[in-house]
Amino acid sequence: MKNYCYFNGKITTLDKVKISPYDIGLLRGYGVFDVMCTANGKPFLFDAHWKRFQNSAMELNLKVPINKSTFKETIAKLLKLNGFEKANIRTVLSGGASHNGFAHERGRETFFILIENFSSLPGDVFQKGAGVMTIAHDRDFPLAKITNYAVAIKNQKQKERKKSLEIIYVKDGKALEASTSNFFIVKKNKLITTKDKILVGTTRNVIIMLAKKKGMMVEERSILEKELYAADEVFLTATNKDVVPVVRIDGRKVGDGKVGKNTKIVMELFGDFVKKY
């Protein structure tokens, strides 16, 4: 079955996509992207993802060559053409071809939308929890979802060796964000998550809204690295992960090493929200 995508103004198939070797997205890592998934056959949190994609583009002075309504219509067509039961929708905007391999000409960006078959995490991850590792790093342009994931990719082998699902970035005594997720800690039944100088996730924002509506205490602030290790519970949030309980950090147990009660409540709240979406 052919995989259909949208590339520089038209719907086509992946085998026909040609990107210039002088595209500064390739040469210099100058680009932004977004990933959303489908829920009940339609894009999940579309408005929030569109807004974040626009904000990411503005951070790098890139021009999004499509408006919101056309973007939504195009995605609907691509989902129908590809026919996946559940899909990831990956949208990429790079700086485009450059005459000298460095200059960016606004309005001549490369833009494409990919539709991928959604691959969910194993059930054990949600039932028993996952392990994560930490490394010292803070992302360039933290407010933008840029395409440069060199640090995370470089450390994939180490992550596999340590049987970790994710990497949490720490710097100057603070825990910042995970490589492809946001995270929450729970201390004395209060949910705490980082806010400044991070990429604020769409799933993260929904969790905050649902938890507050439930009457749970939520605080957005800086988190010290030592607080991460001393937390009663920790969980990850992400578009392609939903809510994942964390039971080990750098080999150390989180709390009693089991999925915490507050994490279970949050997982249930989010699951119900997705079902009704």
Side-chain angles (χ1 to χ4, degrees), residues 55 81 159 168 185 198 210 256:
N55 290 341
L81 284 169
K159 189 178 82 170
I168 291 181
I185 67 170
I198 64 161
L210 293 174
D256 62 3

Side-chain angles (χ1 to χ4, degrees), residues 2 12 34 39 48-49 66 69 71 91 113 143 151 159 186 191 211 216 219 254 271 275-276:
K2 287 188 176 182
T12 184
D34 189 77
H49 280 278
I66 195 170
S69 61
F71 183 51
T91 306
I113 306 169
L143 301 182
V151 171
K159 189 178 82 170
V186 181
L191 276 59
M216 302 174 79
E219 186 176 1
V254 174
K275 288 176 185 176
K276 297 173 183 177

Side-chain angles (χ1 to χ4, degrees), residues 208-223:
I208 292 172
M209 179 268 292
L210 293 174
K212 287 182 176 179
K213 190 175 180 180
K214 182 71 173 177
M216 302 174 79
M217 295 183 290
V218 181
E219 186 176 1
E220 297 177 76
R221 63 166 173 81
S222 297
I223 295 175

